[in-house]
């Protein structure tokens, strides 16, 4: 085999590879207009979706590490409970595992205009034998055996261009050897060492930068939705912990008030018996005091059961052992926040997942309509190819063969009637209807979001007023109770009326606690709607877990989008 042509072929292959990679780097910057530039710009909207840099908050979404055993009684304030939930939560870990698959798909989408290199070595060896035997008087028996060896390496490089063009390069180095045994020994060897380049550029259908970079824009929009979905998963976990913690706070406060009411009922029964012994009260009033004491014992047992249920709910939310006892250290306190509707609506329009997904759906519908219109064009392609190589034919002489080809291919679809006509018109009709539906869905989502924000803001304002009214009611009930206690000691109030005043004071205190917790919950619900929960609690949002990526991909993490 001549070595000089082989060296030329190898050199041409190496130069082509270097040229493709260099050209790819140069054209990648060009191809970002509007595709990859738009992609990067859209991906930067993670900040608008609630993304923060680590120095803007404390990063609590960390891998679960081996922690020492928790104490039998775990003391937690609300902030500690939130952070503990983020460190120990299977739902969050599952969401981050899903992010690995999403980033893997994104990395593949972003590599659309990167060169594709494929090397295919092959080898094959076979022996085929046959024999022929004739009847008496015929020719002698015949036997044959053919030994074949086939080996080679085919290297292929393809490169897509944002205009829709596709470049291809192939280097083929194959060898086939055949040996025949039939009476005497004969052999033949054939081989090919050559390379080829090809080019195809759609001029109408499937052509154009906007059409061919649309997949990058779709990938960017999907990445936005995926990141916001992860953020909302974290927000949902935080809100669940907050709700369960405050429910336990409410139950604990009711238990404390029930214990206080039972203590007062015991004291009231003792005082009543003293007054009866002194002749200042009728004997039957002790029955009323005993009935009230029994009712307070029932209320206490009910409050204990409610506290146990609330604690189990919080333990389950924190994914702790069911036998873990939690001691709440967070007091029921009022911290006034007055949200503004205009600012709240602005935040919601920038961060709310449902509205932003509807906005992306509208953009996707527009792009889909453009794609359908593009596919209705004629097929007009500019094609070119060149092949050069040496062929080995032993025992015949070797020879070099090259071939080039340039042409234009035109295909005109003319569906006149029947199924082809329906097949051509149906995608366009569906795309136009989908676009109109997406427009209406976006308007509906904006109206619903605006109404919901207004409702949440009004709810916060109303519940703040309820807190003030409940506080005023409790203060007046407390003053009334003190006067009633004095009047009862002086014999100026009946036993029944005094018990009513005691219950009224306890109910007023419960109403005040409930109103404060309801006000705090309304702020939490508004935070969730505005997607500002993580900001409120100083939690830095991270969109991926490097430890999980390393665990499941190992050294192949470069396949993910970075």
């Amino acid at each position: 085999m001549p070595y000089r042509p082989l060296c030329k072929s190898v050199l041409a292959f190496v130069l082509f590879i270097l040229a493709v990679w260099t050209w790819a780097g140069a054209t990648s910057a060009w191809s970002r207009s509007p595709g990859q530039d738009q992609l990067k710009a859209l991906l930067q909207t993670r900040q608008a979706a609630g993304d923060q840099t680590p120095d803007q908050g404390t990063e609590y979404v960390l891998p679960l590490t081996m922690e020492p055993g928790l104490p039998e009684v775990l003391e937690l304030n609300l902030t500690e409970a939130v952070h503990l939930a983020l460190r120990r939560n299977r739902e969050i870990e599952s969401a981050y595992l899903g992010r690995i698959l999403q980033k893997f798909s994104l990395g593949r989408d972003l590599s659309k205009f990167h060169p594709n290199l494929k090397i295919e070595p092959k080898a094959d060896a076979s022996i085929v034998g046959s024999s022929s035997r004739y009847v008496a008087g015929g020719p002698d028996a015949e036997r044959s055996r053919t030994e074949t060896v086939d080996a080679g390496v085919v290297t292929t490089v393809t490169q897509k261009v944002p205009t829709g063009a596709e470049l291809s390069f192939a280097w083929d180095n194959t060898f086939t050897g055949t040996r025949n045994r039939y009476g005497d020994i004969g052999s033949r060897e054939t081989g090919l060492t050559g390379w080829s380049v090809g080019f195809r550029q759609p001029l109408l259908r499937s052509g154009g930068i906007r059409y061919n970079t649309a997949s990058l824009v779709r990938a960017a929009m999907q990445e936005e939705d995926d990141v916001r979905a992860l953020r909302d998963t974290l927000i949902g976990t935080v809100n669940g912990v907050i709700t369960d913690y405050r429910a336990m706070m409410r139950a604990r406060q009711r238990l404390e008030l029930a214990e206080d009411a039972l203590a007062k009922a015991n004291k009231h029964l003792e005082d009543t018996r003293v007054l009866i012994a002194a002749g200042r009260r009728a004997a039957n009033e002790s029955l009323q005091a005993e009935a009230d004491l029994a009712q307070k014992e029932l209320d206490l047992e009910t409050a204990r059961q409610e506290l146990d249920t609330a604690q189990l709910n919080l333990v389950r939310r924190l994914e702790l052992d069911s036998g873990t006892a939690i001691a709440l250290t967070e007091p029921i306190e009022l911290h006034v926040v007055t949200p503004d509707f205009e600012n709240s609506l602005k935040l919601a329009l920038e961060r709310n997942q449902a509205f932003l997904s509807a906005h992306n759906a509208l953009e996707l519908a527009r792009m889909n309509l453009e794609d359908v219109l593009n596919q209705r064009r004629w097929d007009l392609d500019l094609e070119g190819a060149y092949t050069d190589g040496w062929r080995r034919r032993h025992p015949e002489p070797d020879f070099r063969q090259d071939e080039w080809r340039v042409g234009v291919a035109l295909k005109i679809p003319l569906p006149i009637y029947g199924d082809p006509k329906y097949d051509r018109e149906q995608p366009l009709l569906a795309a136009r209807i989908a676009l109109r539906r997406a427009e209406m869905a976006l308007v509906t989502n904006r109206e619903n979001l605006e109404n919901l924000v207004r409702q949440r803001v009004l709810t916060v304002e109303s519940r703040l007023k309820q807190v003030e009214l409940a506080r005023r009611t409790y203060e007046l009930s407390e003053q009334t109770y003190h006067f009633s206690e004095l009047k009862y000691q002086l014999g100026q109030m009946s036993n029944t009326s005094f018990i009513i005043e005691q219950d009224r004071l306890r109910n007023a205190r419960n109403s005040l606690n409930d109103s404060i917790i309801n006000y705090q919950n309304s702020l939490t619900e508004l935070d969730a709607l505005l997607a500002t929960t993580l900001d409120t609690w100083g939690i830095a949002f991270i969109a991926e877990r490097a430890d999980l990526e390393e665990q499941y991909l190992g050294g192949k993490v470069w396949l993910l989008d970075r």
Side-chain angles (χ1 to χ4, degrees):
M1 179 182 297
Y3 291 99
R4 188 173 181 182
L6 176 61
C7 294
K8 289 184 177 180
S9 297
V10 174
L11 180 61
F13 168 72
V14 173
L15 292 176
F16 180 81
I17 293 296
L18 293 176
V20 167
W21 282 97
T22 305
W23 175 81
T27 56
S28 61
W30 168 65
S31 68
R32 293 188 183 114
S33 178
Q36 292 189 358
D37 274 347
Q38 188 172 3
L39 172 66
K40 297 303 180 183
L42 289 173
L43 290 178
Q44 289 174 357
T45 58
R46 293 180 181 180
Q47 297 293 333
D51 193 3
Q52 298 183 5
T53 54
D55 59 352
Q56 290 177 314
T58 305
E59 181 180 312
Y60 285 102
V61 185
L62 298 176
L64 180 60
T65 57
M66 297 301 296
E67 299 182 3
L70 296 174
E72 293 183 0
V73 178
L74 184 61
E75 295 185 354
L76 289 175
N77 59 31
L78 183 52
T79 302
E80 292 169 343
V82 168
H83 296 163
L84 179 60
L86 294 180
R87 290 178 183 270
R88 305 166 57 95
N89 189 274
R90 289 183 291 271
E91 182 180 0
I92 292 177
E93 182 175 352
S94 176
Y96 276 104
L97 290 174
R99 281 293 296 151
I100 298 177
L101 296 176
Q102 294 163 2
K103 290 181 62 182
F104 191 91
S105 299
L106 180 62
R108 180 174 183 174
D109 293 337
L110 295 184
S111 65
K112 178 178 181 179
F113 299 118
H114 294 176
N116 298 317
L117 173 62
K118 182 172 64 175
I119 301 176
E120 295 180 304
K122 61 179 181 178
D124 180 62
S126 63
I127 299 176
V128 179
S130 65
S131 63
S132 301
R133 296 179 178 85
Y134 298 92
V135 298
D140 296 335
E142 297 178 355
R143 290 183 176 86
S144 67
R145 189 174 70 174
T146 303
E147 300 172 356
T148 304
V149 177
D150 188 1
V153 177
V154 179
T155 302
T156 306
V157 180
T158 58
Q159 168 74 53
K160 293 183 179 180
V161 182
T163 60
E166 182 173 350
L167 303 175
S168 63
F169 172 84
W171 182 36
D172 192 349
N173 191 3
T174 59
F175 168 81
T176 302
T178 304
R179 175 176 295 181
N180 296 318
R181 295 182 179 274
Y182 183 70
D184 57 350
I185 299 176
S187 65
R188 179 179 179 82
E189 296 178 1
T190 60
L192 170 63
T193 300
W195 57 275
S196 63
V197 293
F199 173 83
R200 186 181 71 85
Q201 171 63 63
L203 301 179
L204 294 177
R205 182 180 180 182
S206 301
I209 294 178
R210 186 175 183 86
Y211 175 81
N212 287 279
T213 58
S215 60
L216 301 182
V217 180
R218 291 188 180 94
M221 292 181 179
Q222 184 61 49
E223 174 69 1
E224 286 183 353
D225 289 340
D226 293 339
V227 171
R228 286 195 296 264
L230 175 63
R231 178 207 62 191
D232 288 352
T233 298
L234 299 179
I235 290 177
T237 300
V238 172
N239 286 349
V241 173
I242 292 173
T243 301
D244 289 344
Y245 189 97
R246 287 175 178 161
M248 188 174 174
M249 290 173 60
R250 189 197 307 263
R252 182 196 62 181
Q253 192 66 31
R254 286 181 179 272
L255 177 62
E256 292 177 356
L257 291 176
E259 291 173 345
D260 181 68
L262 179 61
K264 289 181 178 179
N266 275 313
K267 183 177 182 302
H268 177 65
L269 178 59
E270 294 176 359
D271 292 344
T272 301
R273 287 173 177 172
V274 171
L275 293 175
I276 292 175
R280 298 174 58 184
R281 291 287 180 182
N284 63 348
E285 292 192 5
S286 64
L287 295 177
Q288 297 175 349
E290 290 175 1
D292 179 59
L293 178 62
Q295 181 63 46
K296 296 302 185 294
E297 289 175 346
L298 175 60
D299 293 343
L300 178 61
E301 188 59 32
T302 302
R304 283 174 179 167
Q305 189 271 332
E306 292 177 354
L307 179 60
D308 291 340
T309 301
Q311 177 173 264
L312 288 174
N313 291 337
L314 180 58
V315 166
R316 183 174 61 251
R317 180 77 65 175
L318 297 177
E319 296 184 1
L320 301 174
D321 184 84
S322 59
T324 303
I326 297 179
L328 304 186
T329 61
E330 187 90 7
I332 299 180
E333 295 179 344
L334 177 65
H335 301 283
V336 178
V337 178
T338 55
D340 175 69
F341 171 72
E342 296 298 333
N343 292 333
S344 298
L345 180 59
K346 181 180 178 181
L347 282 173
L349 294 175
E350 292 175 353
R351 296 190 170 200
N352 183 264
Q353 167 74 340
F355 174 75
L356 294 177
S357 294
H359 187 275
N360 282 349
L362 175 59
E363 294 299 322
L364 290 175
R366 290 170 178 167
M367 293 171 60
N368 185 53
L369 178 58
E370 293 176 358
D371 292 348
V372 171
L373 293 175
N374 180 283
Q375 293 300 300
R376 290 170 62 88
R377 297 176 179 176
W378 292 358
D379 276 330
L380 180 60
D381 297 342
L382 176 63
E383 300 176 346
Y386 177 77
T387 303
D388 188 7
W390 279 88
R391 295 187 178 273
R392 175 180 176 83
R393 302 185 304 167
H394 179 76
E396 300 174 3
D398 300 344
F399 68 95
R400 176 186 175 187
Q401 183 180 20
D402 64 331
E403 178 183 341
W404 60 272
R405 176 176 57 85
V406 177
V408 176
L410 175 63
K411 182 179 179 181
I412 304 176
L414 294 176
I416 304 301
Y417 189 73
D419 289 343
K421 185 65 175 179
Y422 282 100
D423 293 340
R424 179 175 174 83
E425 297 300 329
Q426 190 272 341
L428 179 60
L429 177 63
R432 287 175 173 171
I433 291 177
L435 177 60
R436 178 55 184 160
R437 286 178 172 174
E439 291 172 346
M440 294 188 294
L442 180 61
V443 174
T444 302
N445 270 276
R446 180 186 171 86
E447 292 175 351
N448 292 341
L449 181 60
E450 183 174 349
N451 291 335
L452 194 55
V453 171
R454 188 183 301 276
Q455 177 186 350
R456 295 283 173 85
V457 171
L458 291 176
T459 299
V460 171
E461 295 174 353
S462 174
R463 288 186 175 175
L464 180 58
K465 293 178 181 178
Q466 293 174 24
V467 171
E468 297 303 326
L469 294 174
R471 186 189 302 278
R472 180 61 177 165
T473 300
Y474 172 70
E475 292 174 350
L476 293 175
S477 296
E478 190 175 28
Q479 295 177 12
T480 302
Y481 172 75
H482 291 317
F483 285 115
S484 299
E485 187 176 26
L486 180 59
K487 292 172 64 178
Y488 179 77
Q489 295 293 337
L490 296 176
Q492 298 178 2
M493 175 177 281
S494 67
N495 195 22
T496 302
S497 299
F498 182 67
I499 292 175
I500 292 175
E501 291 299 329
Q502 282 185 326
D503 292 341
R504 184 178 297 168
L505 176 61
R506 186 183 61 164
N507 293 335
R509 182 60 187 179
N510 278 327
S511 297
L512 176 59
N513 293 333
D514 289 347
S515 63
I516 294 176
I517 291 176
N518 291 338
Y519 171 73
Q520 293 173 334
N521 286 338
S522 67
L523 290 175
T524 300
E525 293 171 358
L526 179 61
D527 257 345
L529 180 63
L530 306 183
T532 55
T533 302
L534 302 182
D535 301 335
T536 300
W537 293 92
I539 300 170
F541 172 58
I542 57 176
E544 56 272 329
R545 283 265 303 269
D547 62 309
L548 292 179
E549 295 173 0
E550 182 68 25
Q551 177 183 349
Y552 286 92
L553 283 174
K556 298 179 182 179
V557 291
W558 57 271
L559 292 172
L560 303 178
D561 171 59
R562 293 296 185 183

